[in-house]
Amino acid sequence: MGLVVLKFGGSSVADTEAIQRVAWTIAETYSEGNNVVTVLSAQADTTDELIRKAKELNPNPSMREMDVLLSTGEQASVALMAMALEKLGLPVVSLTGWQIGMNTDSDYGSARIKSLSAERLKAELDRRRIVLVAGFQGVNKFDDITTIGRGGSDTTAVAIAVALNADLCKIYTDVDGVYTADPNKVPGAKKLDEITYDEMIELASLGAQILHNRSVEMAKRYGVKMEVLSSLHRKPGTIIKGVTKVEHTKISGVAKDSNIARIALVGLRDEPGVAFKVFRVLANAKINIDIILQSIGRDFTNDISFTVSREDMNKAIEILEENKDVIGYTEINTTDKIAKISIVGAGMMSSPGVAAMMFEALYDSKINIAMISTSEIKVSVLVDENDADRSVATIHAKFFGA
Ligand code: ASP
Ligand code: MG
């Protein structure tokens, strides 16, 4: 007998039929003798729908009231699921974030989990009840409801797994695991049996939106084993853990991120402190920088280019223009017609030539690289937006076969 935390996303509980199907999965896990805590998201598009309704009444509602509103989606899901399980004759209780002692800070809309008391959870499990927990929500020190960011139910599930020292945290979703590339776009994409936390974090932040990134970071910090699997098919998914079996392939996946813009500052003085000034003013404005490239110009000048997310592009330009005299440059060039393509793999550290293989694949397809950046387990390139999908396909074929 073990203790498992299950989490089902919005599409897995979209309607009555889906709820009944999930109820059977929960019932089965429970009947095998496990203690079961299940975290649910709001049904299908409920959260988006609630946001739409709110904006209709007030384009700028207070974040506090937004959280009161948005937390109801998850509350409805757990109540409905409890009813479905009651119908199956099983002992069940549904609980909200505050009832389980999910304490967060007061950053409404993207609150951070501070602690989870878990007493109520343990008491219910001791009574052999199935516990259903509303995901994505907590309570702050003022006893007000908070939410922890879009997609946050994954993180709720991992936080519970940590607090209860669970054997496994299973994230059921509408894909059957983590793939070597987007299976909807790359025909040869393969499902991975295992992936490390670090690889998953990279793939998630690179735009393979399967899991809430904070959930994987938390799982890594506390060593919680996760599994991503389909709520429709009964087959094993992808296990996420610290160390994986030695794979035959050098990389775990190819990802595309289109939410990216490039800014180039031309004609900077070639002297100490210039890069510092550029990135200090941007950091003060809380703009995240990704790839940075400095190139040598002519006549004692430098160019610095870097990337930001598309929604930060205009703000970044504004800040740089405001500080033009302090920084000292002649021109700003920007484009958002680009995409970042990355390969990720823990195996990269021990096998040379991985980057070269990627560049060769792009060369074979006559795709020009605008910028390159590397880390221990990742190589990223910037390419023209129009070449993005072709880049993923050709790189994927190079590493995994067509
Ligand atoms: N319902 C929330 C959202 O749509 C949280 C979640 O699904 O994890 O973002
Ligand atoms: Mg999700």
Side-chain angles (χ1 to χ4, degrees), residues 7 10 41-42 47 74 136 149-154:
K7 182 259 167 181
S41 289
T47 308
E74 272 68 14
F136 163 68
R150 298 301 308 269
S153 299
D154 297 338

Side-chain angles (χ1 to χ4, degrees), residues 331-400:
E331 205 184 306
I332 304 183
N333 281 325
T334 49
T335 174
D336 59 1
K337 302 277 172 285
I338 49 163
K340 181 169 76 168
I341 311 297
S342 307
I343 56 172
V344 172
M348 234 179 247
M349 282 185 268
S350 54
S351 62
V354 172
M357 261 174 91
M358 179 190 199
F359 304 150
E360 186 183 19
L362 293 168
Y363 169 66
D364 290 345
S365 298
K366 304 276 175 291
I367 294 166
N368 190 42
I369 301 173
M371 248 162 134
I372 300 173
S373 115
T374 65
S375 79
E376 271 194 327
I377 66 163
K378 174 180 85 168
V379 183
S380 304
V381 296
L382 287 193
V383 298
D384 191 290
E385 190 177 49
N386 297 321
D387 290 332
D389 288 334
R390 223 156 48 83
S391 301
V392 173
T394 184
I395 295 166
H396 191 274
K398 188 74 147 190
F399 285 94
F400 299 99

Side-chain angles (χ1 to χ4, degrees), residues 189-311:
K190 295 178 184 65
K191 200 189 82 196
L192 297 162
D193 293 335
E194 297 182 340
I195 187 168
T196 65
Y197 297 120
D198 289 327
E199 289 171 318
M200 193 62 225
I201 289 166
E202 289 291 359
L203 286 174
S205 60
L206 295 173
Q209 266 121 23
I210 301 176
L211 291 172
H212 196 224
N213 228 14
R214 272 157 62 190
S215 71
V216 190
E217 282 161 10
M218 190 184 286
K220 179 189 171 188
R221 184 155 4 110
Y222 296 97
V224 173
K225 194 156 90 174
M226 296 175 82
E227 180 176 3
V228 177
L229 68 174
S230 162
S231 62
L232 289 174
H233 314 289
R234 301 165 136 270
K235 49 183 182 197
T238 302
I239 300 273
I240 307 163
K241 56 186 189 173
V243 186
T244 55
K245 282 181 274 158
V246 188
E247 290 280 344
H248 302 296
T249 49
K250 296 182 168 77
I251 64 168
S252 291
V254 187
K256 173 181 92 168
D257 183 359
S258 298
N259 178 20
I260 186 168
R262 184 185 57 190
I263 299 180
L265 290 173
V266 183
L268 291 158
R269 285 185 299 276
D270 187 14
E271 63 185 33
V274 172
F276 163 68
K277 282 178 199 154
V278 172
F279 295 110
R280 168 64 21 213
V281 294
L282 294 168
N284 287 347
K286 295 210 162 36
I287 292 174
N288 266 321
I289 310 294
D290 187 19
I291 304 179
I292 300 176
L293 185 80
Q294 172 169 307
S295 56
I296 303 168
R298 281 157 283 127
D299 311 326
F300 308 105
T301 66
N302 272 334
D303 298 345
I304 291 182
S305 351
F306 55 89
T307 61
V308 296
S309 65
R310 280 193 191 164
E311 53 273 16

Side-chain angles (χ1 to χ4, degrees), residues 35-50:
N35 279 329
V36 185
V37 178
T38 299
V39 175
L40 299 180
S41 289
Q43 291 181 279
D45 303 326
T46 302
T47 308
D48 290 331
E49 193 53 23
L50 290 171

